[in-house]
Amino acid sequence: MENLDLKNIFWKGKSVFLTGHTGFKGGWLSLWLSSLGAEVHGYSLDPLTEECFFKATDVQSKIASSTIGDINNVRELSGAMIL
């Protein structure tokens, strides 16, 4: 159990830039890191469907920031990474 506490402490206050936060795996990772105390900044395309994990769990309200954009747009992506 001590090792688990150390892992939780590691993420507390860390700023994490995560691409794909509107998808299923990215949404889960966003929630998990946020629950460990990380400051999660998500960058992703809009969710593909209206009914999705991202909206059902309200990921956007549980992370520090959520930006909708395409990683192929280097200028926009670079601007989002400067937090």
Side-chain angles (χ1 to χ4, degrees):
M1 283 306 229
E2 290 175 22
N3 196 17
L4 183 60
D5 289 338
L6 289 175
K7 289 178 184 176
N8 290 349
I9 291 170
F10 175 81
W11 290 106
K12 188 153 186 76
K14 293 278 188 347
S15 184
V16 178
F17 187 82
L18 178 66
T19 60
H21 74 293
T22 61
F24 183 75
K25 293 176 188 174
W28 270 111
L29 183 57
S30 296
L31 294 176
W32 181 52
L33 289 172
S34 183
S35 75
L36 294 176
E39 184 180 296
V40 179
H41 302 274
Y43 187 90
S44 184
L45 297 172
D46 266 326
L48 295 176
T49 60
E50 191 60 35
E51 293 182 22
C52 62
F53 180 82
F54 180 74
K55 292 180 181 178
T57 58
D58 196 20
V59 171
Q60 186 168 354
S61 73
K62 297 175 177 106
I63 61 176
S65 70
S66 174
T67 302
I68 301 300
D70 189 338
I71 61 169
N72 292 308
N73 184 333
V74 177
R75 179 176 286 157
E76 191 178 296
L77 177 62
S78 296
M81 292 175 104
I82 301 171
L83 302 171

